[in-house]
Amino acid sequence: MAIFDVGPEPSIWLPTALARGPFAGLQGGAIAGLLTGEIEQIAAQRDWGMAISASIWFLRPVPLVPLRTAISVMRDGGRLSVIDNALQVEGEEQPYVLARITLAQPRPIKIAGLEVPQETAVDPTTFELSTRAAPHGGPWFMDAMETRVTERVSWFRLKHEVIPGAGPLAQVLGPADWAHGIFRPMSGVVADPNSNLHVHLFRQPQANWIGVEPQTHWQPDLGGGMGGGLLRDVYGVIGRVSMSVALTAFAKPV
């Protein structure tokens, strides 16, 4: 089962309940995975190489309805390719989400005296299992992942593909999108949606676990903040995530 089902024609996607966010609309990490995964599907055919970075802009909440994607090639070939993808609600012209993906062809190089540090492999299944229900009480994106936590790192393993054939970067974006909400300084007081998501990988993850070692900074007098952190697989650091956060106070009960 995929988080987004293939629609009746190319570039049409049908979100399942597992794509939902905690409130209205779909989860940003699921949407980012859809837009990136579709590009990764095409990358092997077009010889674009490995997806190494994603910049996603969430323009407005995406409803649980049939969706259309529109890919635009900014640069095709050579060492780097840059591909855009836009998400629209079927039947509407204005985009809801924009994505720009950079792909690179690997070119191994030897540098005398440079040693890559090796870390001891970890087994996330030995850490505490964490579950979280959505405020709306129904299925949501967190149900698509197994989550394990330590004092420093939260580990995520997707139990479902974002879309059939999604590549490594698409699988990373869902866990990475939670960086601003892990170990947040306050809970149950404000909502903290991120208006964008930027992820950079310097190598592809190995195995199915993605660890997020988060950092958050909130500035309530400006109504915003920043989230981010290191991204890991079971063998060490693979990249970094960052995002802008808009703080919104919960309505007080009447």
Side-chain angles (χ1 to χ4, degrees), residues 79-143:
R79 187 168 188 180
L80 293 176
S81 295
V82 180
I83 315 298
D84 288 355
N85 203 355
L87 185 72
Q88 301 167 301
V89 167
E90 179 66 354
E92 297 185 20
E93 293 185 2
Q94 294 299 316
Y96 279 63
V97 183
L98 299 175
R100 173 160 290 183
I101 311 302
T102 301
L103 305 100
Q105 292 286 358
R107 292 187 181 178
I109 183 173
K110 293 184 179 180
I111 302 176
L114 176 63
E115 294 185 4
V116 178
Q118 300 294 321
E119 298 188 39
T120 302
V122 299
D123 179 4
T125 63
T126 63
F127 304 138
E128 180 183 357
L129 182 66
S130 175
T131 58
R132 185 185 303 178
H136 53 67
W140 67 315
F141 190 49
M142 283 295 289
D143 295 330

Coordinates of all heavy atoms in Angstrom, one line a residue, residues 79-143:
R79 N 26.7 17.2 -14.9 CA 26.9 16.7 -13.5 C 25.7 17.0 -12.7 O 25.3 16.2 -11.8 CB 28.1 17.3 -12.9 CG 28.4 16.7 -11.5 CD 29.8 17.1 -11.0 NE 30.1 16.3 -9.8 CZ 31.3 16.4 -9.2 NH1 32.2 17.3 -9.6 NH2 31.5 15.7 -8.1
L80 N 25.0 18.1 -12.9 CA 23.8 18.5 -12.1 C 22.6 18.6 -13.0 O 22.7 19.1 -14.1 CB 24.0 19.8 -11.4 CG 25.1 19.8 -10.3 CD1 25.3 21.2 -9.7 CD2 24.7 18.8 -9.1
S81 N 21.4 18.2 -12.5 CA 20.1 18.4 -13.1 C 19.2 19.1 -12.0 O 19.3 18.7 -10.8 CB 19.5 17.1 -13.6 OG 20.3 16.6 -14.6
V82 N 18.4 20.0 -12.4 CA 17.5 20.7 -11.5 C 16.1 20.6 -12.1 O 15.9 21.0 -13.2 CB 17.9 22.2 -11.4 CG1 16.9 22.9 -10.4 CG2 19.3 22.3 -10.9
I83 N 15.2 20.0 -11.3 CA 13.9 19.7 -11.8 C 12.9 20.3 -10.8 O 13.0 20.1 -9.6 CB 13.6 18.2 -11.9 CG1 14.8 17.5 -12.6 CG2 12.3 17.9 -12.6 CD1 15.1 17.9 -14.0
D84 N 11.8 21.0 -11.3 CA 10.8 21.5 -10.5 C 9.5 20.6 -10.6 O 9.3 20.0 -11.7 CB 10.4 22.9 -10.9 CG 11.4 24.0 -10.6 OD1 12.4 23.6 -9.9 OD2 11.3 25.1 -11.0
N85 N 8.7 20.7 -9.6 CA 7.4 19.9 -9.6 C 6.4 20.8 -8.8 O 6.8 21.3 -7.7 CB 7.6 18.6 -9.0 CG 6.5 17.6 -9.5 OD1 5.6 18.0 -10.2 ND2 6.6 16.3 -9.1
A86 N 5.3 20.9 -9.4 CA 4.2 21.7 -8.7 C 3.0 20.9 -8.4 O 2.7 20.0 -9.2 CB 3.8 22.9 -9.6
L87 N 2.3 21.1 -7.3 CA 1.2 20.4 -6.9 C -0.1 21.2 -7.0 O -0.1 22.4 -6.5 CB 1.3 19.8 -5.5 CG 0.2 18.9 -5.0 CD1 0.3 17.6 -5.7 CD2 0.2 18.7 -3.5
Q88 N -1.1 20.7 -7.8 CA -2.3 21.4 -7.9 C -3.5 20.5 -7.5 O -3.4 19.3 -7.5 CB -2.5 21.9 -9.4 CG -1.5 22.8 -9.9 CD -1.6 22.9 -11.4 OE1 -1.5 21.9 -12.1 NE2 -1.7 24.1 -11.9
V89 N -4.6 21.1 -7.1 CA -5.8 20.4 -6.9 C -6.4 20.2 -8.3 O -6.5 21.2 -9.1 CB -6.8 21.1 -5.9 CG1 -8.2 20.5 -6.0 CG2 -6.2 21.1 -4.5
E90 N -6.8 19.0 -8.6 CA -7.4 18.7 -9.9 C -8.5 19.7 -10.2 O -9.5 19.8 -9.4 CB -7.9 17.3 -9.9 CG -8.5 16.8 -11.2 CD -7.5 16.9 -12.4 OE1 -6.4 17.3 -12.3 OE2 -7.9 16.4 -13.5
G91 N -8.4 20.3 -11.3 CA -9.5 21.3 -11.7 C -9.1 22.7 -11.4 O -9.9 23.7 -11.8
E92 N -8.0 23.0 -10.6 CA -7.6 24.3 -10.3 C -6.3 24.6 -10.9 O -5.5 23.8 -11.2 CB -7.5 24.5 -8.8 CG -8.8 24.3 -8.0 CD -8.7 24.7 -6.5 OE1 -7.7 25.3 -6.1 OE2 -9.5 24.2 -5.8
E93 N -6.0 25.9 -11.2 CA -4.8 26.3 -11.9 C -3.7 26.7 -10.9 O -2.5 26.5 -11.2 CB -5.1 27.5 -12.8 CG -6.0 27.1 -14.0 CD -6.1 28.2 -15.0 OE1 -5.5 29.3 -14.8 OE2 -6.9 28.0 -16.0
Q94 N -4.0 27.3 -9.8 CA -3.0 27.9 -8.9 C -2.3 26.7 -8.1 O -3.0 25.8 -7.6 CB -3.6 28.9 -7.9 CG -4.1 30.1 -8.6 CD -2.9 30.9 -9.3 OE1 -1.9 31.0 -8.7 NE2 -3.2 31.4 -10.5
P95 N -1.0 26.7 -8.0 CA -0.3 25.6 -7.3 C -0.5 25.8 -5.8 O -0.6 26.9 -5.2 CB 1.2 25.8 -7.6 CG 1.3 27.3 -8.0 CD 0.0 27.7 -8.6
Y96 N -0.5 24.6 -5.1 CA -0.6 24.6 -3.6 C 0.8 24.4 -3.0 O 1.1 24.9 -1.9 CB -1.5 23.4 -3.2 CG -3.0 23.7 -3.3 CD1 -3.6 24.0 -4.5 CD2 -3.8 23.7 -2.1 CE1 -5.0 24.3 -4.5 CE2 -5.1 24.0 -2.1 CZ -5.7 24.3 -3.3 OH -7.1 24.6 -3.4
V97 N 1.6 23.7 -3.7 CA 3.0 23.4 -3.2 C 4.0 23.4 -4.4 O 3.6 22.9 -5.5 CB 3.1 22.0 -2.5 CG1 4.5 21.7 -2.0 CG2 2.0 21.9 -1.4
L98 N 5.2 24.0 -4.2 CA 6.2 24.0 -5.2 C 7.4 23.2 -4.7 O 7.8 23.4 -3.5 CB 6.6 25.4 -5.6 CG 5.5 26.3 -6.2 CD1 6.0 27.7 -6.3 CD2 5.0 25.7 -7.5
A99 N 8.1 22.5 -5.6 CA 9.3 21.8 -5.2 C 10.4 22.0 -6.2 O 10.1 22.0 -7.4 CB 9.0 20.3 -5.0
R100 N 11.6 22.1 -5.8 CA 12.8 22.1 -6.6 C 13.8 21.1 -6.2 O 14.2 21.1 -5.0 CB 13.4 23.5 -6.7 CG 14.7 23.5 -7.5 CD 15.1 24.9 -7.9 NE 14.2 25.4 -9.0 CZ 14.3 26.5 -9.6 NH1 15.3 27.4 -9.3 NH2 13.5 26.9 -10.6
I101 N 14.1 20.1 -7.0 CA 15.0 19.0 -6.7 C 16.3 19.1 -7.5 O 16.2 19.3 -8.7 CB 14.3 17.6 -7.0 CG1 12.9 17.6 -6.4 CG2 15.1 16.5 -6.4 CD1 12.8 17.9 -4.9
T102 N 17.4 19.0 -6.8 CA 18.7 18.9 -7.5 C 19.2 17.5 -7.5 O 19.1 16.8 -6.4 CB 19.7 19.8 -6.8 OG1 19.2 21.2 -6.7 CG2 21.0 19.8 -7.5
L103 N 19.6 17.0 -8.6 CA 20.2 15.7 -8.8 C 21.6 15.8 -9.3 O 22.0 16.7 -10.0 CB 19.3 14.8 -9.7 CG 17.8 14.7 -9.4 CD1 17.0 15.7 -10.2 CD2 17.3 13.3 -9.5
A104 N 22.4 14.8 -8.9 CA 23.9 14.9 -9.3 C 24.3 13.5 -9.7 O 23.9 12.5 -9.2 CB 24.7 15.4 -8.1
Q105 N 25.3 13.5 -10.7 CA 25.9 12.3 -11.1 C 27.2 12.1 -10.1 O 28.0 13.0 -10.0 CB 26.4 12.4 -12.5 CG 25.3 12.4 -13.5 CD 24.7 11.0 -13.7 OE1 25.1 10.1 -13.1 NE2 23.7 11.0 -14.6
P106 N 27.3 10.9 -9.5 CA 28.4 10.7 -8.6 C 29.7 10.7 -9.4 O 29.8 10.1 -10.5 CB 28.1 9.3 -8.0 CG 26.7 9.1 -8.1 CD 26.3 9.8 -9.4
R107 N 30.8 11.3 -8.9 CA 32.1 11.3 -9.5 C 33.1 11.1 -8.4 O 33.6 12.0 -7.7 CB 32.4 12.6 -10.2 CG 31.5 12.8 -11.4 CD 31.9 14.1 -12.2 NE 31.1 14.3 -13.4 CZ 31.2 15.3 -14.2 NH1 32.1 16.3 -14.0 NH2 30.4 15.4 -15.3
P108 N 33.4 9.8 -8.1 CA 34.4 9.5 -7.0 C 35.7 10.2 -7.2 O 36.2 10.4 -8.3 CB 34.6 8.0 -7.1 CG 33.3 7.5 -7.9 CD 33.0 8.6 -8.8
I109 N 36.3 10.7 -6.1 CA 37.6 11.4 -6.1 C 38.4 11.0 -4.9 O 37.8 10.8 -3.8 CB 37.4 12.9 -6.2 CG1 38.7 13.6 -6.3 CG2 36.6 13.4 -5.0 CD1 38.6 15.1 -6.5
K110 N 39.7 10.8 -5.1 CA 40.5 10.5 -3.9 C 41.3 11.8 -3.5 O 41.9 12.4 -4.4 CB 41.5 9.4 -4.3 CG 40.8 8.0 -4.6 CD 41.9 7.0 -4.9 CE 41.2 5.6 -5.1 NZ 42.2 4.5 -5.3
I111 N 41.3 12.0 -2.2 CA 42.0 13.2 -1.7 C 42.9 12.7 -0.6 O 42.5 12.2 0.4 CB 41.0 14.2 -1.1 CG1 39.9 14.7 -2.1 CG2 41.7 15.4 -0.5 CD1 38.9 15.6 -1.6
A112 N 44.2 12.9 -0.9 CA 45.2 12.4 0.0 C 45.1 13.1 1.4 O 44.9 14.3 1.5 CB 46.6 12.7 -0.5
G113 N 45.1 12.2 2.4 CA 45.1 12.7 3.8 C 43.7 12.9 4.4 O 43.5 13.2 5.5
L114 N 42.6 12.8 3.5 CA 41.3 13.0 4.0 C 40.7 11.6 4.4 O 40.6 10.7 3.6 CB 40.4 13.6 2.9 CG 38.9 13.7 3.2 CD1 38.7 14.7 4.4 CD2 38.1 14.2 2.0
E115 N 40.3 11.5 5.7 CA 39.7 10.3 6.2 C 38.2 10.6 6.6 O 37.9 11.6 7.3 CB 40.4 9.8 7.4 CG 41.9 9.3 7.1 CD 42.5 8.7 8.3 OE1 41.9 8.6 9.4 OE2 43.7 8.4 8.3
V116 N 37.3 9.8 6.1 CA 35.9 9.9 6.4 C 35.7 9.2 7.7 O 36.0 8.0 7.9 CB 35.0 9.3 5.3 CG1 33.6 9.4 5.7 CG2 35.3 9.9 4.0
P117 N 35.2 9.9 8.7 CA 34.9 9.3 10.1 C 33.9 8.2 10.0 O 32.9 8.3 9.3 CB 34.5 10.5 10.9 CG 34.0 11.5 10.0 CD 34.8 11.3 8.7
Q118 N 34.2 7.1 10.7 CA 33.2 6.0 10.7 C 32.6 5.9 12.1 O 33.3 6.0 13.1 CB 34.0 4.7 10.4 CG 34.6 4.6 9.1 CD 33.6 4.6 7.9 OE1 32.6 4.0 8.0 NE2 34.0 5.4 6.9
E119 N 31.3 5.8 12.1 CA 30.5 5.7 13.4 C 30.1 4.2 13.6 O 29.9 3.5 12.6 CB 29.3 6.6 13.4 CG 29.6 8.1 13.3 CD 28.4 9.0 13.5 OE1 27.6 8.6 14.3 OE2 28.3 10.0 12.7
T120 N 29.9 3.9 14.8 CA 29.4 2.6 15.2 C 27.9 2.5 14.8 O 27.1 3.4 15.1 CB 29.5 2.3 16.6 OG1 30.9 2.4 17.0 CG2 29.0 0.9 17.0
A121 N 27.5 1.4 14.0 CA 26.1 1.3 13.6 C 25.2 1.1 14.8 O 25.6 0.5 15.8 CB 26.0 0.0 12.7
V122 N 24.0 1.7 14.7 CA 23.0 1.6 15.8 C 21.8 0.7 15.3 O 21.6 0.5 14.1 CB 22.5 3.0 16.2 CG1 23.7 3.8 16.7 CG2 21.8 3.7 15.0
D123 N 21.1 0.2 16.3 CA 19.9 -0.6 16.0 C 18.7 0.1 16.6 O 18.5 0.0 17.8 CB 20.0 -2.0 16.6 CG 18.8 -2.9 16.3 OD1 17.9 -2.4 15.6 OD2 18.8 -4.0 16.8
P124 N 18.0 0.9 15.8 CA 16.9 1.7 16.4 C 15.8 0.8 17.1 O 15.0 1.3 17.9 CB 16.3 2.4 15.2 CG 17.5 2.5 14.2 CD 18.2 1.2 14.4
T125 N 15.7 -0.5 16.7 CA 14.6 -1.3 17.3 C 14.9 -1.5 18.8 O 14.0 -2.0 19.5 CB 14.5 -2.6 16.6 OG1 15.7 -3.4 16.7 CG2 14.2 -2.4 15.1
T126 N 16.1 -1.2 19.3 CA 16.3 -1.3 20.7 C 15.9 -0.1 21.5 O 15.9 -0.1 22.7 CB 17.8 -1.6 21.0 OG1 18.6 -0.4 20.5 CG2 18.3 -2.8 20.2
F127 N 15.4 1.0 20.8 CA 15.0 2.2 21.5 C 13.5 2.1 21.8 O 12.8 1.3 21.2 CB 15.4 3.4 20.7 CG 16.9 3.5 20.3 CD1 17.3 3.9 19.0 CD2 17.8 3.2 21.2 CE1 18.6 4.0 18.7 CE2 19.2 3.2 20.9 CZ 19.6 3.6 19.6
E128 N 13.1 3.1 22.6 CA 11.7 3.1 23.0 C 10.8 3.4 21.9 O 11.0 4.4 21.1 CB 11.5 4.2 24.1 CG 10.1 4.3 24.6 CD 10.0 5.5 25.6 OE1 11.0 6.1 26.0 OE2 8.8 5.7 26.1
L129 N 9.7 2.7 21.8 CA 8.7 2.9 20.7 C 7.8 4.1 21.1 O 7.4 4.2 22.3 CB 7.8 1.6 20.6 CG 6.7 1.6 19.5 CD1 7.4 1.7 18.1 CD2 5.9 0.4 19.6
S130 N 7.5 4.9 20.1 CA 6.7 6.1 20.4 C 5.6 6.1 19.4 O 5.7 5.8 18.2 CB 7.6 7.4 20.2 OG 6.8 8.6 20.3
T131 N 4.4 6.5 19.9 CA 3.2 6.6 19.1 C 2.5 7.9 19.4 O 2.6 8.5 20.5 CB 2.2 5.5 19.3 OG1 1.8 5.5 20.7 CG2 2.8 4.1 19.0
R132 N 1.8 8.5 18.4 CA 1.2 9.8 18.6 C -0.1 9.8 17.8 O -0.1 9.5 16.6 CB 2.1 10.9 18.2 CG 1.5 12.3 18.4 CD 2.4 13.4 17.9 NE 3.8 13.3 18.4 CZ 4.8 14.2 18.1 NH1 4.5 15.1 17.1 NH2 6.0 14.0 18.6
A133 N -1.2 10.1 18.4 CA -2.5 10.1 17.7 C -2.7 11.5 17.2 O -2.3 12.5 17.7 CB -3.6 9.8 18.7
A134 N -3.4 11.6 16.1 CA -3.8 12.9 15.5 C -4.9 13.5 16.3 O -5.8 12.9 16.8 CB -4.2 12.7 14.0
P135 N -4.9 14.9 16.4 CA -6.0 15.6 17.1 C -7.4 15.3 16.5 O -8.4 15.3 17.3 CB -5.7 17.1 16.9 CG -4.2 17.1 16.8 CD -3.9 15.8 16.0
H136 N -7.5 15.0 15.2 CA -8.8 14.7 14.6 C -9.2 13.2 14.9 O -10.3 12.9 14.6 CB -8.8 15.0 13.1 CG -7.6 14.3 12.4 ND1 -7.5 12.9 12.2 CD2 -6.6 14.8 11.7 CE1 -6.5 12.6 11.5 NE2 -5.8 13.8 11.2
G137 N -8.3 12.4 15.5 CA -8.7 11.1 15.9 C -8.7 10.0 14.8 O -8.9 8.8 15.1
G138 N -8.4 10.4 13.5 CA -8.3 9.4 12.4 C -6.9 9.1 12.0 O -6.0 9.5 12.6
P139 N -6.8 8.3 11.0 CA -5.5 7.9 10.5 C -4.7 9.1 10.0 O -5.4 10.1 9.5 CB -5.8 6.9 9.3 CG -7.2 6.5 9.5 CD -7.9 7.6 10.2
W140 N -3.4 9.1 10.1 CA -2.6 10.2 9.6 C -1.2 9.7 9.3 O -0.9 8.5 9.4 CB -2.6 11.4 10.5 CG -1.9 11.2 11.9 CD1 -2.0 10.1 12.7 CD2 -1.1 12.1 12.5 NE1 -1.3 10.3 13.8 CE2 -0.7 11.5 13.8 CE3 -0.6 13.4 12.2 CZ2 0.2 12.2 14.7 CZ3 0.2 14.0 13.1 CH2 0.6 13.4 14.3
F141 N -0.4 10.7 8.8 CA 1.0 10.3 8.3 C 1.8 9.6 9.3 O 2.6 8.7 9.0 CB 1.7 11.6 7.8 CG 2.9 11.3 7.0 CD1 3.0 10.3 6.0 CD2 4.1 12.0 7.3 CE1 4.1 10.1 5.3 CE2 5.3 11.7 6.6 CZ 5.3 10.8 5.6
M142 N 1.7 9.9 10.6 CA 2.5 9.3 11.6 C 2.2 7.8 11.7 O 3.0 7.0 12.1 CB 2.3 9.9 13.0 CG 3.0 11.2 13.2 SD 4.8 11.0 13.2 CE 5.1 10.2 14.7
D143 N 1.0 7.4 11.3 CA 0.6 6.0 11.3 C 1.3 5.2 10.2 O 1.3 4.0 10.2 CB -0.9 5.8 11.1 CG -1.7 6.4 12.3 OD1 -1.2 6.3 13.4 OD2 -2.8 6.9 12.1

